[in-house]
Amino acid sequence: MESDKKWYVIHTYSGYENKVKATLERKVKSMGLENVINRILVPMEDEVDVKDGKKRTIKRKVFPGYVLVEMEVNDRSWYVVRNTPGVTGFVGSATKPIPLEPGEVKQILKNQGIDSEAKPRISVEIGEQVRITSGPFENFIAAITEINEEKGTLKGLIDMFGRETTVEVDYSQIEKSLE
């Protein structure tokens, strides 16, 4: 995890969330602040709307009037964000923004389909044997049948009660078998 970068919540005029995000992204580029202000997010969720008997899915802001910013707070970054048109301030006290808790951030990012941690990369191939190191199938040897890079999981066949059974495990739950 990078040192002083945390997620902060900026209060904006209602309806200005996307404008603030776009303006801030431009400012970060033009001022060379990419290493101080990382990601800017307006969390959205799908909402099914029924109008005239027709269903349609619309994107709705999860936190209307707020934008999330992953940044390192210093005088310059605080000033840049604070003086972005449409921003009314940071959530926290007037002088000290209060960061979101890591658990809150993780949940919000997960709901947005963004992973807060980089997925572990693993070099295994279909047909290869791996040992499951945790979970209900701990210490079983699995022959890999499918690898899902996107989810960071793989499926494999294990021998359970004399029958082959397919299990799905996370990359973090396996190690290469030394057979």
Side-chain angles (χ1 to χ4, degrees):
M1 187 74 199
E2 290 188 89
S3 56
D4 301 326
K5 289 202 183 57
K6 291 185 170 70
W7 283 90
Y8 295 89
V9 181
I10 309 169
H11 194 259
T12 68
Y13 294 124
S14 192
Y16 277 74
E17 302 87 352
N18 292 323
K19 272 194 191 94
V20 165
K21 178 182 192 275
T23 305
L24 210 44
E25 285 171 343
R26 275 197 308 277
K27 276 181 155 184
V28 166
K29 270 203 178 62
S30 70
M31 298 174 82
L33 291 171
E34 291 91 347
N35 58 346
V36 182
I37 299 175
N38 284 40
R39 295 181 281 179
I40 303 160
L41 184 65
V42 178
M44 304 292 271
E45 66 187 6
D46 288 340
E47 188 175 83
V48 175
D49 188 35
V50 179
K51 208 176 198 166
D52 304 325
K54 289 188 177 81
K55 267 188 190 179
R56 61 189 190 120
T57 305
I58 56 171
K59 290 270 185 208
R60 186 180 71 76
K61 291 179 184 82
V62 181
F63 309 113
Y66 296 96
V67 175
L68 307 183
V69 182
E70 184 184 30
M71 63 185 283
E72 180 184 320
V73 173
N74 58 35
D75 291 344
R76 187 165 179 224
S77 66
W78 183 89
Y79 184 84
V80 166
V81 171
R82 189 67 195 82
N83 290 291
T84 298
V87 171
T88 57
F90 278 95
V91 171
S93 65
T95 53
K96 180 131 180 51
I98 297 170
L100 287 168
E101 292 295 318
E104 295 171 316
V105 170
K106 194 172 183 161
Q107 191 57 52
I108 291 168
L109 293 178
K110 187 174 169 227
N111 291 345
Q112 293 302 297
I114 303 168
D115 230 336
S116 50
E117 284 104 44
K119 293 225 183 351
R121 297 203 48 81
I122 189 156
S123 58
V124 291
E125 292 171 20
I126 290 175
E128 204 172 328
Q129 304 260 317
V130 293
R131 190 173 78 79
I132 301 172
T133 57
S134 66
F137 306 106
E138 188 172 350
N139 293 323
F140 275 89
I141 300 293
I144 300 172
T145 56
E146 195 179 306
I147 298 171
N148 186 333
E149 294 266 334
E150 190 97 346
K151 282 172 47 185
T153 61
L154 52 86
K155 286 184 180 172
L157 291 173
I158 62 170
D159 182 22
M160 185 184 275
F161 309 122
R163 290 172 48 187
E164 281 195 330
T165 305
T166 300
V167 295
E168 184 172 357
V169 291
D170 202 88
Y171 285 177
S172 63
Q173 293 178 284
I174 62 158
E175 65 182 23
K176 284 194 171 193
S177 180
L178 300 172
E179 322 255 299

